Amino acid sequence: MRRKLIAGNWKMNGSMAALVELDAIATAATRSPGVDVAVAVPATLIAPATARAPTLAIGAQDVHHGDCGAHTGCVSAAMVREVGARFSLVGHSERRADQAESDAHVRDKATAARRAGLDVILCVGETSEERDAGRAEAVVTAQLAASLPDDAAGPWLSVAYEPIWAIGTGRTPTTADVAAMHGALRARLRDLLGVEAEAIRLLYGGSVNDANAGELLGAGDVDGALVGGASLTAAKFVPIIEAAARLG
Ligand code: PGA
């Protein structure tokens, strides 16, 4: 069945000196052969991170939807792939908010990433207002349908459910809420893709840490985690990898 995937997201954090953290993360990954481990680093660190931890899946946090051209300041999927990225996040809520990325834009980025040979972690999630209004499942499944790349299939594609109100706040949904949302996402994927839906991993993200990882990863239809703050140091990230390994 689906292997667990534990993916770190360093966001706009990290430096050449911080790459030392990858040593123990890579060792933990090697000791947990049943778990896939990945770290999305800032674009400037992709090449040195790959050189330092060649066994670890290093990825990008975003790519442009085009292959090349007049887009000052942007980086294409082929460019990050050339320097060692094996995957990219797309549609993280911080980009959807800060860079006004629409579902259609995210879809084009995911398609471009796949075209360049990258795996894709597509992020979706609701605001606290949407959850309070009882609209979380409707909002998130609609986001999924509108952001799915061409020829969506697993295992190269994962979907990360990240409630925006849980990111960096220390608040998490109940495991029942996570299981319900993941069930809704799986059902929507089946409607859209048929059997191809089965190999797509559904990750939970938002304030995952060593204390709550076991419970969140054990919730129904949770195939892994996307981890921000707790991925910045091996001391915090390795226990999450170990929790996934215990679940098998
Ligand atoms: P967090 O971030 O683990 O720090 O809440 C998760 C994310 O934004 O991917």
Side-chain angles (χ1 to χ4, degrees), residues 113-200:
R114 173 63 178 163
R115 193 166 58 236
L118 298 174
D119 288 355
V120 173
I121 299 177
L122 166 64
C123 306
V124 293
E126 84 282 1
T127 63
S128 57
E129 292 75 22
E130 288 162 345
R131 176 153 288 271
D132 291 347
R135 295 175 48 230
E137 280 187 21
V139 166
V140 172
T141 55
Q143 238 177 21
L144 173 72
S147 337
L148 269 185
D150 292 350
D151 304 320
W156 62 267
L157 176 66
S158 302
V159 174
Y161 166 54
E162 299 204 303
I164 295 168
W165 51 271
I167 295 176
T169 59
R171 293 171 59 208
T172 55
T174 64
T175 47
D177 284 344
V178 173
M181 182 63 82
H182 281 221
L185 288 167
R186 181 74 62 200
R188 193 62 186 267
L189 286 172
R190 285 190 183 120
D191 287 349
L192 293 166
L193 306 172
V195 290
E196 297 294 346
E198 303 308 324
I200 296 176

Side-chain angles (χ1 to χ4, degrees), residues 20-100:
V20 67
E21 300 295 335
L22 297 178
D23 297 356
I25 294 170
T27 302
T30 307
R31 288 203 190 122
S32 309
V35 179
D36 290 335
V37 180
V39 184
V41 298
T44 52
L45 294 179
I46 292 170
T50 303
R52 176 139 194 153
T55 60
L56 207 53
I58 300 296
Q61 298 169 11
D62 176 58
V63 290
H64 193 270
H65 63 270
D67 294 331
C68 61
H71 304 289
T72 303
C74 297
V75 176
S76 75
M79 290 171 179
V80 298
R81 172 103 160 107
E82 186 182 31
V83 295
R86 295 197 222 162
F87 74 98
S88 184
L89 309 182
V90 297
H92 191 282
S93 59
E94 287 153 16
R95 292 202 58 86
R96 289 179 186 263
D98 297 353
Q99 320 295 329

